[in-house]
Amino acid sequence: MISTRHQRPTTLVGVLDLERLDVDIFRGWSSHGELPVRLFGGQVAGQALIAAGRTVEPARSVHSLHAYFLRPGDPAVPVIYLVDRIRDGGSYSTRRVVGVQLGETIFQLSASFHLPAQGPTHAEPMPLVPPPDQVRTLEDWYADAGAASAPWMQWFRAGQFRTEVRCVDEPPALAAERGPRPARQRVWFRSAEPLPDDPLVHVCALTYASDLDLISTALLPHGRTTRDAGMASLDHAVWFHRPFRADGWLLHDRESPVAAGGHALVRAHVYDADGYLVASIAQEGLVRTPRREPEQRVTAEQRGPMSSTSH
């Protein structure tokens, strides 16, 4: 039976609660209230992953996703998610999802799910950072600088994903006023609303947050902000290593190793409050500035404690 629900969701759980229009066809909505100019990429990725996960047996958990943002989405229009069941093997399942608005594909995702298995275990250690209760909130950083809150944060607090954000390092938009600095930022995140126990919801919540202010890390060595640079997410990948809760504190340790040819790459390790590496993220984004700048070569000393070997 085709759903006829039209009411916009008011919470993250509501956004991820897709309407099932057919066996492998789903519909997702943006939040109520004031909408941004274009659809947030993390929302589309999170909804697409939920759609894929709802076609896989619950015993198989998602371990990776690879996505492409193909066109800007309209937040006032629902997104139709079409799931293609590529393969169901003995241990792995693969799904392909396309997001469609008004007859045009705006997003494509491939996701892999697997049954639990045993194997060697190791991980890069968590960087030495203060715990979240000893770190200033994003609002504190902006208040101390006498600046208005980050525009993306204003929308998020009014929209469906109410988050708590504590920044170990000065936020990129404020740091740019003091000139170039190493391309690294470390941020504590958690959902401000309790989430259900369904592991897929927590994985999709992290996927949603993984696109949040990520590519701005690449602007730090150039002393620029999103106000004077054209930026857009192009492709996105997330690997999930361990179970976690997105309503518990997660440290996002981000670095940008390269920007060239109008593109920038940003990588992130995500740790839970106990220091376990639970996920890894990589994103390439479009980054364009009004004037052409020469390539900047950053020495190891200038880069600071960015590489995993320094943790």
Side-chain angles (χ1 to χ4, degrees), residues 134-193:
Q134 297 179 20
V135 176
R136 284 186 288 176
T137 66
L138 183 69
E139 290 83 352
D140 288 341
W141 279 102
Y142 275 82
D144 291 347
S149 180
W152 56 264
M153 204 60 210
Q154 294 173 0
W155 177 70
F156 264 66
R157 292 203 177 280
Q160 67 270 17
F161 194 4
R162 286 175 285 276
T163 60
E164 294 183 61
V165 183
R166 294 178 178 267
C167 302
V168 177
D169 308 294
E170 187 175 31
L174 301 178
E177 299 176 3
R178 270 161 285 287
R181 82 173 201 202
R184 188 185 192 187
Q185 58 169 323
R186 296 161 299 175
V187 182
W188 286 103
F189 269 100
R190 72 176 176 186
S191 170
E193 63 179 275

Side-chain angles (χ1 to χ4, degrees), residues 196-226:
D197 291 336
D198 183 353
L200 183 59
V201 171
H202 292 268
V203 165
C204 292
L206 175 57
T207 301
Y208 195 123
S210 67
D211 187 38
L212 183 59
D213 204 33
L214 183 65
I215 203 67
S216 65
T217 310
L219 295 178
L220 288 168
H222 308 278
R224 290 186 175 273
T225 72
T226 55

Side-chain angles (χ1 to χ4, degrees), residues 44-292:
V44 183
Q47 288 182 332
L49 187 57
I50 277 283
R54 295 302 183 218
T55 69
V56 176
E57 61 178 274
R60 300 189 180 208
S61 59
V62 58
H63 74 88
S64 68
L65 68 86
H66 299 263
Y68 287 90
F69 302 96
L70 305 176
R71 291 184 176 91
D74 184 346
V77 177
V79 182
I80 304 300
Y81 297 98
L82 309 175
V83 181
D84 187 1
R85 303 186 186 218
I86 301 296
R87 180 177 184 269
D88 284 307
S91 299
Y92 287 84
S93 293
T94 305
R95 296 292 185 266
R96 176 176 177 266
V97 184
V98 295
V100 178
Q101 278 190 326
L102 303 177
E104 291 191 325
T105 299
I106 66 168
F107 179 81
Q108 176 180 309
L109 174 141
S110 294
S112 180
F113 300 76
H114 72 130
L115 292 171
Q118 297 297 317
T121 300
H122 73 272
E124 290 289 339
M126 181 178 177
L128 295 176
V129 299
D133 60 358
Q134 297 179 20
V135 176
R136 284 186 288 176
T137 66
L138 183 69
E139 290 83 352
D140 288 341
W141 279 102
Y142 275 82
D144 291 347
S149 180
W152 56 264
M153 204 60 210
Q154 294 173 0
W155 177 70
F156 264 66
R157 292 203 177 280
Q160 67 270 17
F161 194 4
R162 286 175 285 276
T163 60
E164 294 183 61
V165 183
R166 294 178 178 267
C167 302
V168 177
D169 308 294
E170 187 175 31
L174 301 178
E177 299 176 3
R178 270 161 285 287
R181 82 173 201 202
R184 188 185 192 187
Q185 58 169 323
R186 296 161 299 175
V187 182
W188 286 103
F189 269 100
R190 72 176 176 186
S191 170
E193 63 179 275
L195 300 177
D197 291 336
D198 183 353
L200 183 59
V201 171
H202 292 268
V203 165
C204 292
L206 175 57
T207 301
Y208 195 123
S210 67
D211 187 38
L212 183 59
D213 204 33
L214 183 65
I215 203 67
S216 65
T217 310
L219 295 178
L220 288 168
H222 308 278
R224 290 186 175 273
T225 72
T226 55
R227 294 189 301 271
D228 55 9
M231 303 178 66
S233 303
L234 295 176
D235 59 271
H236 196 76
V238 186
W239 296 265
F240 302 97
H241 312 306
R242 295 173 179 267
F244 60 88
R245 292 193 66 92
D247 50 7
W249 285 112
L250 298 171
L251 177 71
H252 294 227
D253 184 17
R254 304 163 173 172
E255 63 170 344
S256 177
V258 63
H263 300 88
L265 177 68
V266 178
R267 303 180 301 211
H269 285 165
V270 182
Y271 298 86
D272 65 15
D274 294 324
Y276 288 105
L277 180 58
V278 300
S280 298
I281 302 166
Q283 182 181 90
E284 185 182 44
L286 174 74
V287 180
R288 292 178 178 169
T289 53
R291 61 183 179 84
R292 185 174 180 178

